[in-house]
Amino acid sequence: MNLALTDLLLLAALMIGAALFWRAQRIRETALRVTRRHCEREEVLLLDQTVGLKRLRLRRDGEGRLRLWRFYEFEFTVTGGERYRGETLVAGDRVVRVTLPPHRFSPEPDQLH
């Protein structure tokens, strides 16, 4: 089997692309796991059980290192009738924060009247 240089470069590009895709999927799964836990603690229901990439930005973190910042968006509900949009911020492969906008709180059933 005789491979030309262009074949090797194409193969290397495909392998790098696959590795980057796999890493991005792993980071998205981490963001989803942390978002689920946050929603459980806040006693809200994560809708669609997913997070979607909203935007990418290249900027420095608190330690001055250049990182890829990913902003994921998700929807949640408290009462079942209203949808709210939250955001999960990931710097590199570390979740920085999960943000929930102002939303209604449903009282506990025993607290009614």
Side-chain angles (χ1 to χ4, degrees):
M1 184 164 158
N2 196 4
L3 294 177
L5 182 58
T6 56
D7 294 334
L8 290 176
L9 289 175
L10 181 60
L11 183 62
L14 286 173
M15 290 175 66
I16 290 170
L20 290 174
F21 176 77
W22 187 346
R23 184 171 191 268
Q25 287 301 104
R26 187 174 46 85
I27 291 170
R28 189 191 68 77
E29 288 171 7
T30 300
L32 177 58
R33 187 176 61 251
V34 171
T35 301
R36 274 190 190 130
R37 268 191 259 138
H38 186 81
C39 287
E40 288 172 4
R41 276 194 311 268
E42 295 296 320
E43 297 178 358
V44 299
L45 179 63
L46 178 64
L47 297 173
D48 305 326
Q49 297 299 311
T50 188
V51 294
L53 186 63
K54 181 178 175 184
R55 126 182 114 209
L56 289 171
R57 180 171 290 164
L58 194 61
R59 67 183 228 208
R60 298 195 182 276
D61 62 7
E63 299 170 357
R65 286 185 277 184
L66 202 56
R67 298 237 183 234
L68 187 61
W69 292 66
R70 292 172 172 89
F71 296 83
Y72 291 97
E73 192 173 62
F74 61 93
E75 291 186 334
F76 67 96
T77 187
V78 177
T79 62
E82 299 158 329
R83 286 171 110 55
Y84 299 96
R85 290 182 187 254
E87 187 176 79
T88 302
L89 174 60
V90 180
D93 59 353
R94 195 181 98 239
V95 176
V96 176
R97 73 173 178 259
V98 178
T99 306
L100 301 178
H103 57 278
R104 291 183 193 219
F105 289 98
S106 63
E108 295 295 322
D110 60 344
Q111 293 178 350
L112 295 175
H113 301 331

